[in-house]
Amino acid sequence: MIAVEGLSVAIGAAPVLRGVSFGVERGQIVGLVGESGSGKSMTALAVMGLLPPGAKASGRVALDGTDLLALPEAALCDVRGRQIGMIFQEPMTALNPVQNIGDQVAETLVIHRAASRSEALREARRRLDRVGLPEGRFPLTRYPHELSGGQRQRVCIAMAIALRPQLLIADEPTTALDVTTQARILDLLKGLVEEERMGLLLITHDLAVVAGMADRLAVMRAGEIVEQGPVADVLRERRHPYTRALFEASAHHPGAEARPGDTPLLQVQGAVRDYPLPRTRLFSRPLPFRAVDGVSFEVRRGESVGLVGESGCGKSTLTRAILGLEPLQAGEIRLDGQAVQAGQRMPEGLRRKMNVVFQDPYGSFNPRHRVGRLIAEPFHLTGRPADADARVAEALDSVGLSPEDRHKFIHEFSGGQRQRIAIARALIIRPELIVLDEAVSALDVRVRAQILDLLADLRARLGLSYLFISHDLHVVRAITDRVLVMQAGRIVEHGPTEKVLRAPEHPYTKDLLAAAPELEVPT
Amino acid sequence: MLRYALSRLVSLALSLLAASVVIFAVIEVIPGDPAAYMLGLNAAPETVAALREELGLTGSLWARYLDWVSGMLTGDFGLSYTYRVPVADLVVQRLGVSLPLAGYALALSTAIALPVGLWAAARRGGPVDLAVMGATQLGIAVPNFWFAMLLVLVFAVKLGWFSAGGFPGWEGGFLAGIKALTLPAVALALPQAAILARVMRSALIETLGQDYIRSARAKGLTQGQAIRRHALRNALIPVLTILGLQFSFLLAGAIIIENVFFLPGLGRLIFQAITQRDLIVVESVVMLLVFAVIVVTFVVDLAYAAVDPRLRRR
């Protein structure tokens, strides 16, 4: 139905896509995998005719024989939404915040003059019902900010399929979502493909997602498709070395082993964190929302403990309290034997015993400071030592970067290198505990594998303890000794990682595990 | 929505109260006794004391503050020290010029700025955009009184289309009034339009980069439809903020323009009242301006909520 032949795209003189060819038939799911920057999204935008200004496409994108690249803009507008629908990665921002969901879904029909406004709204209702947003809880007058990420992605899907297009392009549709939400959205997409006989081009960086879903698989690297074929064949044979590398990195398990000691380093006792909700009345006290509800656990010296749970379960709130950024309402945090009670500020002497690495390697650095200064930032907790420069060089060296890199700016580094710099920044004050808050979630699989190796190596060499917060069970399995499962502010299950992941006891842990896509090799 | 409006109203009343205290206190600590000033250097102390009594300048601070506030609530702003007429009459008369002037200037600047900003944003980086950016830069840089004199020179002196200044009063007919206000309104509006156009342009450009615009394009909307149906309303929020600030400025900040065109507006009234130590007039006009600014802010807050559903629940 759609045939892409020799598609090349260049921005200025720089080629972005080179001779990309693939096809999608009705009722077929084609997975397009690759790392960030490999040209997956650019391929989708080229098919949609929505390339950024300055980009030039050549080759052929034939939809039922018509070459889309040759169509004028007005004709393309008619194709978009009617024959090809598209959904994007970020459901939180993909909807217009000042228009209700009914109008946004109906707009697809109105714009293509497929229905009158009232008829379009009735069809919007039916489509929203179909994507799992029933009228009772989700009337057409809902606004996007009243919906969760998964619900918004459902609205986006309803919008994209309102006119029953032949082809749906889904660009990382579940990357920003929790595992259980991801599983439901993927189910929905699969059901729609069967029901409507649509073709689905599923773009993702996650091999496990396509493995369970696609009929065909194309692996992309640096603007080219290096391997494609029926999904079982590609996964089994892995003819191209890049496919092999991707595959191995997805299931990577760091080699270096560390022996955790027996003395407790961090002890959290009955921790409670409340947030005030927005005021409901002008002169009454706002009601509290309990984000962390009586959590207790400990991390021993040299131990790596995982904390898993979905977004909104209280992981990040708990982390902020442990780091001493916000006081507890009840309970205590004990670090290296020294206790901080509820309501107390954490003394600086204690704060310098731990440090943190955040998820976003782009947003967590001041872009106007040089790397040397960024890494030296935590010295404000300890006072700047005389050998500060040597320590910066040492920290850079220990994360596998060159000491000379301290003169560069952060934009000169890739995502993986930035995360190394973040780790160097955490190491600089020689902490005993490092809190890793989704520290590898934004990285490509191969980079992620390298960072996991680095973390394992540092732990073995320096005797560090980790509190590893993640929604990704594979990563937690790879790097932690014990795991805590958090749901709605409470720890619902804990134990040795292997045991919890192999034989979960709590129903919530079972749900999480069932939802996590598994990368299995077909035989 | 109603709750939001009510909570805004309460904060409006509180702001007014706070403003009245501050204004009263500031006027009280300003050196210079209006009675002594009015009677001249050689006045006998008894005469000054008698006049102070008559002007209501005696009594405790607290009593005078209550007097002033309760008077304002009933529409009694007191008697002007110099003109010996009720301040309320003076102010109403002057408002008859200043309010239409501010409204006129605001309408002009909005009518110019929004389409120009839209045009520039839609052709970002092109010659139209560059020309608009250059012109608005110039519009912001040129002081409005100089621009006003230029307008007088060209349209009044050379071409003779408008009179160079003065105001015939609304009794002379609506059109004559509007005609007299046109040059001052243009002089006030153009620099404001330059600022507003830039705000509109940058707000739109930012909105056009948002993910939901891409979603809209993927649904089959043309660039123009995406701007009209999605970008415009989202870009309005910063524009409303600036509009609110500009209206307050136009009402209170027209002092120089009113002087250039000899317009009997609020700006000139307050200017004269300050030089003549007519503190009761100063107090009342400042309070009135504060009231206007707060009301405009309130209206802008309501407009935000009308534009953005996310604010309605607060």
Side-chain angles (χ1 to χ4, degrees):
Chain A
M1 165 195 55
I2 191 149
V4 176
E5 289 154 28
L7 174 67
S8 296
V9 171
I11 296 179
V16 197
L17 295 180
R18 272 171 297 196
V20 169
S21 302
F22 64 92
V24 184
E25 295 304 319
R26 277 189 167 268
Q28 190 184 43
I29 301 178
V30 175
L32 191 58
V33 267
E35 294 175 312
S36 42
S38 61
K40 306 177 304 253
S41 295
M42 208 51 91
T43 307
L45 293 176
V47 171
M48 290 295 281
L50 285 176
L51 285 170
K56 274 226 125 357
S58 57
R60 219 174 117 79
V61 177
L63 179 71
D64 290 334
T66 318
D67 185 7
L68 297 182
L69 294 184
L71 283 186
E73 173 63 21
L76 270 177
C77 281
D78 201 48
V79 171
R80 289 183 210 123
R82 187 195 290 278
Q83 289 173 282
I84 310 179
M86 183 161 178
I87 55 174
F88 299 92
Q89 174 171 355
E90 263 308 329
M92 299 312 275
T93 51
L95 293 169
N96 182 348
V98 304
Q99 202 176 52
N100 66 40
I101 58 173
D103 282 337
Q104 294 195 52
V105 176
E107 189 178 39
T108 310
L109 297 135
V110 173
I111 277 297
H112 289 283
R113 299 203 174 76
S116 67
R117 202 183 116 83
S118 57
E119 211 177 298
L121 283 172
R122 273 198 300 280
E123 178 62 19
R125 182 66 267 159
R126 284 193 288 274
R127 297 269 96 183
L128 285 170
D129 286 341
R130 173 62 193 93
V131 299
L133 300 174
E135 177 151 30
R137 283 180 57 215
F138 305 97
L140 295 178
T141 50
R142 282 281 184 127
Y143 284 96
H145 70 272
E146 299 168 310
L147 306 178
S148 71
Q151 289 160 355
R152 290 187 207 193
Q153 195 61 292
R154 286 170 194 269
V155 176
C156 291
I157 294 174
M159 232 158 72
I161 61 162
L163 275 171
R164 299 168 199 271
Q166 296 153 267
L167 175 68
L168 178 64
I169 303 177
D171 188 358
E172 303 269 9
T174 56
T175 305
L177 305 174
D178 284 320
V179 275
T180 47
T181 318
Q182 161 167 299
R184 283 183 226 122
I185 295 284
L186 292 177
D187 271 350
L188 170 65
L189 288 174
K190 216 169 169 175
L192 285 169
V193 167
E194 280 165 22
E195 238 170 74
E196 315 256 329
R197 300 272 308 142
M198 292 189 302
L200 173 64
L201 178 62
L202 180 64
I203 296 172
T204 175
H205 68 282
D206 190 342
L207 270 176
V209 164
V210 278
M213 194 149 161
D215 305 304
R216 286 178 66 81
L217 180 58
V219 182
M220 252 191 125
R221 180 198 189 182
E224 286 174 296
I225 291 185
V226 295
E227 181 169 4
Q228 64 178 315
V231 72
D233 294 355
V234 174
L235 291 182
R236 193 179 333 106
E237 289 163 22
R238 287 173 250 158
R239 260 177 255 124
H240 196 277
Y242 181 69
T243 315
R244 268 200 298 282
L246 270 187
F247 203 87
E248 277 152 20
S250 303
H252 183 74
H253 209 298
E257 282 294 327
R259 295 225 134 261
D262 289 329
T263 41
L265 176 65
L266 170 75
Q267 290 159 291
V268 177
Q269 267 302 325
V272 170
R273 268 294 285 140
D274 286 337
Y275 279 118
L277 288 173
R279 279 171 196 277
T280 47
R281 306 171 71 153
L282 195 56
F283 294 109
S284 62
R285 279 173 70 87
L287 293 167
F289 170 74
R290 188 146 288 188
V292 175
D293 189 6
V295 165
S296 303
F297 67 92
E298 64 173 40
V299 178
R300 290 190 281 270
R301 271 182 201 287
E303 190 183 32
S304 172
V305 174
L307 178 62
V308 294
E310 303 197 320
S311 44
C313 75
K315 290 179 304 207
S316 297
T317 309
L318 178 61
T319 315
R320 295 178 65 79
I322 291 172
L323 288 168
L325 301 175
E326 290 165 356
L328 291 175
Q329 271 70 50
E332 66 165 34
I333 290 169
R334 198 178 272 271
L335 188 64
D336 208 10
Q338 209 180 329
V340 181
Q341 306 287 344
Q344 283 179 346
R345 275 178 59 91
M346 184 170 286
E348 289 211 340
L350 219 48
R351 283 179 58 181
R352 73 178 64 145
K353 289 189 178 173
M354 57 192 164
N355 220 325
V356 61
V357 178
F358 292 109
Q359 170 171 3
D360 184 1
Y362 296 88
S364 54
F365 292 104
N366 184 334
R368 297 194 213 297
H369 291 175
R370 288 177 199 277
V371 164
R373 177 162 172 196
L374 292 173
I375 291 180
E377 262 171 358
F379 281 142
H380 73 265
L381 286 171
T382 60
R384 195 178 168 85
D387 61 342
D389 286 336
R391 298 238 325 240
V392 167
E394 180 194 316
L396 276 170
D397 188 52
S398 63
V399 297
L401 293 171
S402 151
E404 286 313 302
D405 286 335
R406 67 178 185 275
H407 304 300
K408 294 187 186 163
F409 286 102
I410 199 71
H411 67 258
E412 299 174 55
F413 295 91
S414 69
Q417 286 171 324
R418 288 179 204 204
Q419 211 56 323
R420 282 173 192 267
I421 293 168
I423 294 170
R425 177 168 65 178
L427 286 176
I428 192 85
I429 50 172
R430 296 173 182 156
E432 294 174 62
L433 174 69
I434 296 189
V435 177
L436 299 147
D437 189 355
E438 301 276 5
V440 297
S441 303
L443 304 176
D444 280 320
V445 278
R446 286 190 310 159
V447 180
R448 186 175 78 190
Q450 291 162 7
I451 297 289
L452 289 178
D453 279 340
L454 171 67
L455 288 172
D457 172 57
L458 288 172
R459 179 176 158 216
R461 265 199 296 143
L462 307 175
L464 293 171
S465 305
Y466 293 145
L467 179 59
F468 195 94
I469 296 146
S470 183
H471 67 278
D472 187 335
L473 296 168
H474 294 294
V475 176
V476 169
R477 171 173 274 158
I479 195 162
T480 64
D481 308 313
R482 280 192 307 126
V483 68
L484 313 161
V485 181
M486 195 164 178
Q487 183 195 20
R490 292 164 185 269
I491 305 279
V492 295
E493 182 163 2
H494 63 96
T497 306
E498 267 313 311
K499 180 171 165 285
V500 171
L501 296 190
R502 195 165 353 97
E505 280 168 15
H506 194 274
Y508 179 69
T509 319
K510 288 180 185 162
D511 284 350
L512 275 186
L513 277 165
E518 281 295 331
L519 183 52
E520 281 163 15
V521 187
T523 45
Chain B
M1 183 71 189
L2 193 66
R3 175 170 288 163
Y4 173 78
L6 278 178
S7 81
R8 300 315 309 167
L9 256 180
V10 170
S11 87
L12 181 150
L14 291 178
S15 320
L16 273 181
L17 190 68
S20 73
V21 172
V22 171
I23 291 168
F24 187 77
V26 168
I27 296 283
E28 280 304 318
V29 300
I30 286 180
D33 179 351
Y37 183 84
M38 284 163 72
L39 292 173
L41 283 174
N42 300 322
E46 306 85 66
T47 335
V48 173
L51 186 61
R52 285 177 62 87
E53 180 74 36
E54 196 196 322
L55 293 177
L57 291 173
T58 52
S60 76
L61 268 184
W62 182 234
R64 273 186 291 144
Y65 172 72
L66 280 186
D67 229 32
W68 179 56
V69 171
S70 59
M72 279 195 299
L73 287 179
T74 55
D76 174 14
F77 288 74
L79 225 53
S80 160
Y81 301 155
T82 41
Y83 297 108
R84 314 300 299 158
V85 292
V87 177
D89 292 353
L90 267 181
V91 167
V92 167
Q93 204 184 358
R94 300 302 182 99
L95 265 183
V97 178
S98 284
L99 213 53
L101 178 61
Y104 193 1
L106 194 74
L108 271 182
S109 88
T110 315
I112 297 168
L114 298 195
V116 167
L118 181 70
W119 194 27
R123 287 169 176 64
R124 184 186 183 187
V128 167
D129 187 23
L130 287 179
V132 166
M133 290 306 280
T136 52
Q137 186 76 63
L138 199 69
I140 294 171
V142 169
N144 61 7
F145 64 87
W146 183 81
F147 183 61
M149 295 192 301
L150 212 67
L151 286 177
V152 169
L153 214 62
V154 175
F155 292 100
V157 178
K158 278 256 161 35
L159 297 173
W161 293 354
F162 297 93
S163 63
F167 186 68
W170 295 107
E171 308 82 39
F174 178 73
L175 276 182
I178 284 293
K179 197 177 165 196
L181 291 183
T182 297
L183 284 188
V186 171
L188 281 171
L190 280 189
Q192 305 283 328
I195 296 172
L196 201 60
R198 284 179 155 245
V199 172
M200 180 74 191
R201 173 186 173 274
S202 62
L204 253 184
I205 285 177
E206 200 195 316
T207 324
L208 283 176
Q210 298 289 322
D211 288 351
Y212 52 81
I213 297 297
R214 192 183 54 184
S215 304
R217 298 278 284 135
K219 280 198 273 189
L221 276 73
T222 63
Q223 180 74 5
Q225 284 172 324
I227 291 180
R228 282 195 301 280
R229 301 178 72 115
H230 294 281
L232 216 47
R233 193 158 158 205
N234 277 288
L236 265 186
I237 292 164
V239 171
L240 279 173
T241 311
I242 301 293
L243 261 182
L245 292 174
Q246 290 196 337
F247 186 74
S248 316
F249 172 80
L250 287 173
L251 201 58
I255 297 181
I256 297 176
I257 292 294
E258 284 178 3
N259 272 317
V260 171
F261 287 98
F262 303 107
L263 292 177
L266 271 187
R268 278 187 88 200
L269 176 66
I270 198 168
F271 181 71
Q272 288 162 348
I274 291 171
T275 52
Q276 292 161 350
R277 285 283 179 286
D278 197 345
L279 296 185
I280 184 96
V281 172
V282 176
E283 250 174 7
S284 307
V285 174
V286 171
M287 193 62 211
L288 184 82
L289 291 176
V290 168
F291 179 71
V293 169
I294 290 176
V295 168
V296 167
T297 313
F298 175 66
V299 172
V300 169
D301 278 348
L302 291 189
Y304 281 156
V307 169
D308 191 342
R310 285 167 293 186
L311 290 171
R312 287 176 208 160
R313 280 199 310 184
R314 278 212 220 128

